[in-house]
Amino acid sequence: MPVDFKSPVERRFYGAKTHCGHCDAEGGPDRSLMKCAGCALAVFCSKDCQKAAWPEHKMWCRSSNLKNGARMVELMEHLKILSTPTGLRSPLPPPSRAGDFASAMSVTADWRKFFEWHQLTLMDILEVSQRLAYTPRNLDLLRRGELLAQCHFSPVKPSAQPNPANSWYLSHWEVTPAATLLQEHEDFVVEWERQRPMFMKLDADLKKEHGSRYIGCLVMVNRCGVTIEMVLRPIYAAPDPKLLAHQQTKDALSDLLEFFVGCVNTGVVRKRDAADDDAVKPGKLHRIKGVKSGKTSWEWRPLPDEQDDVYRDVLKSRKYTPKTDFKLVPLCYFKDSLSL
């Protein structure tokens, strides 16, 4: 059953700025709405409404009461976030840790730490997904800034040593027109309208800088529990668009996509080589404890294995048999050649 994002609870969760977070009164010229200073998401029409809403609102605002974890799980399940999405393309994820979160803000902060480590790989996932979904219709949507890559993430408890790079699981992704999501989810409408002007400005700047080489920005819509995060990935024209229709190209990109998703889901962090910006090395995070402060931090270290061994092991974790015999480095260079 599709989620009904028209309810007051879900409007409040996704930061709808049009209705009071308690009485659901609609704001307007005669009724101003005040933003909550704690989360900067919910709005209220009066201090009385804000006070009355606090018993519920504190669950996802900035409360540190871990007893609220059960309520977070309850709401995530209500929003169909923890259930297996239609068209699952990944092996079953590790156990969920949704109950560890006390607030929606803590979910967002946790996911952003994960994103910071995997940003390079997630951007590569977007690029490859767009190449694989190349059609004249999608190309037109991309030029208009109306093509999305919707990604579903779940917070998980990894079997290996937990760290920010293996704390979330990408279970499903699909390239889709913005209109589809706008029709299905009212929560997305609010965020889309809020960020659209910024997207258009960036699009105009990139067109001015790169000319016809630049096609448009693919919008990554990250659905991570009770929050939505959006990221842009500029896409540049392929020297020979006909090459994207070749089966060998599709097979090579499919192999690479599976590897990228496997890296994200197993905590393999890909990082550019300081000595060669064109080269990317796979690595893992290691816990570092400060001698004086005692605080824990994370340090990236390259894996000692050969890159092709890492490639093979990651695909094995995906239970995926590669469609081509290409090794990892030639595959990555091939991907890059499609954007020159």
Side-chain angles (χ1 to χ4, degrees):
M1 179 181 293
V3 180
D4 177 17
F5 289 102
K6 297 180 181 179
S7 73
V9 171
E10 291 160 346
R11 271 205 296 267
R12 293 198 295 275
F13 243 96
Y14 285 91
K17 305 296 191 299
T18 56
H19 293 71
C20 175
H22 176 63
C23 68
D24 204 43
E26 187 173 5
D30 299 325
R31 181 186 287 112
S32 60
L33 301 177
M34 302 178 296
K35 185 184 296 184
C36 172
C39 64
L41 295 175
V43 293
F44 301 94
C45 64
S46 67
K47 289 185 177 180
D48 289 338
C49 274
Q50 184 176 17
K51 184 176 180 180
W54 181 246
E56 176 189 22
H57 180 63
K58 67 180 181 181
M59 176 183 74
W60 58 278
C61 180
R62 54 180 178 180
S63 170
S64 60
N65 181 4
L66 293 180
K67 292 181 180 179
N68 289 327
R71 290 291 308 281
M72 289 294 291
V73 174
E74 180 183 347
L75 188 53
M76 280 184 169
E77 288 177 341
H78 173 63
L79 296 178
K80 308 297 183 185
I81 298 301
L82 300 183
S83 59
T84 301
T86 303
L88 185 72
R89 293 166 56 186
S90 291
L92 291 176
S96 171
R97 60 184 179 92
D100 294 349
F101 297 105
S103 69
M105 295 300 289
S106 63
V107 174
T108 300
D110 191 89
W111 185 85
R112 286 180 179 175
K113 291 179 182 177
F114 167 83
F115 176 80
E116 287 174 4
W117 286 109
H118 287 296
Q119 183 172 357
L120 175 63
T121 303
L122 290 171
M123 293 300 100
D124 282 340
I125 289 174
L126 288 189
E127 181 184 5
V128 174
S129 295
Q130 186 276 327
R131 299 300 190 194
L132 286 170
Y134 182 87
T135 64
R137 178 170 179 262
N138 281 347
L139 185 62
D140 183 56
L141 289 170
L142 182 64
R143 287 196 175 105
R144 301 204 310 259
E146 297 176 2
L147 190 65
L148 312 178
Q150 185 177 190
C151 301
H152 295 259
F153 292 89
S154 299
V156 295
K157 296 178 180 177
S159 56
Q161 183 188 45
N163 65 68
N166 61 12
S167 56
W168 288 79
Y169 193 89
L170 174 57
S171 59
H172 180 68
W173 63 97
E174 57 185 334
V175 176
T176 182
T180 301
L181 207 55
L182 289 169
Q183 291 172 2
E184 292 178 353
H185 302 304
E186 189 172 295
D187 69 294
F188 177 68
V189 177
V190 176
E191 191 64 18
W192 179 256
E193 292 178 350
R194 185 179 72 85
Q195 297 202 33
R196 183 70 170 161
M198 180 188 68
F199 293 168
M200 298 304 292
K201 183 181 184 305
L202 176 62
D203 181 69
D205 291 343
L206 287 169
K207 284 180 180 176
K208 184 177 180 180
E209 181 180 356
H210 298 285
S212 60
R213 178 171 173 262
Y214 167 74
I215 302 177
C217 277
L218 181 63
V219 183
M220 182 182 193
V221 181
N222 303 304
R223 305 184 68 88
C224 35
V226 292
T227 64
I228 290 179
E229 297 281 321
M230 284 197 275
V231 182
L232 296 182
R233 174 59 161 97
I235 300 295
Y236 299 94
D240 182 7
K242 295 180 180 178
L243 187 63
L244 298 175
H246 293 178
Q247 189 58 48
Q248 190 175 30
T249 299
K250 294 179 179 180
D251 290 345
L253 292 177
S254 295
D255 290 350
L256 205 50
L257 179 60
E258 291 292 336
F259 171 69
F260 290 155
V261 174
C263 287
V264 168
N265 288 343
T266 57
V268 174
V269 178
R270 299 169 58 245
K271 191 173 181 180
R272 293 201 181 279
D273 190 339
D276 181 4
D277 194 52
D278 291 332
V280 177
K281 291 183 177 180
K284 288 274 190 175
L285 297 190
H286 294 262
R287 187 190 300 269
I288 303 296
K289 192 171 183 179
V291 178
K292 294 183 179 179
S293 66
K295 294 182 179 180
T296 296
S297 61
W298 298 95
E299 180 183 75
W300 178 88
R301 297 175 187 170
L303 289 169
D305 306 320
E306 293 291 334
Q307 292 213 37
D308 289 328
D309 292 334
V310 176
Y311 176 66
R312 183 190 63 246
D313 292 343
V314 168
L315 292 185
K316 186 177 180 181
S317 75
R318 301 274 303 151
K319 299 180 180 179
Y320 174 82
T321 302
K323 299 178 180 180
T324 69
D325 295 328
F326 296 139
K327 295 185 177 181
L328 179 58
V329 172
L331 272 177
C332 290
Y333 279 128
F334 174 68
K335 174 191 74 70
D336 292 341
S337 73
L338 297 177
S339 299
L340 296 177

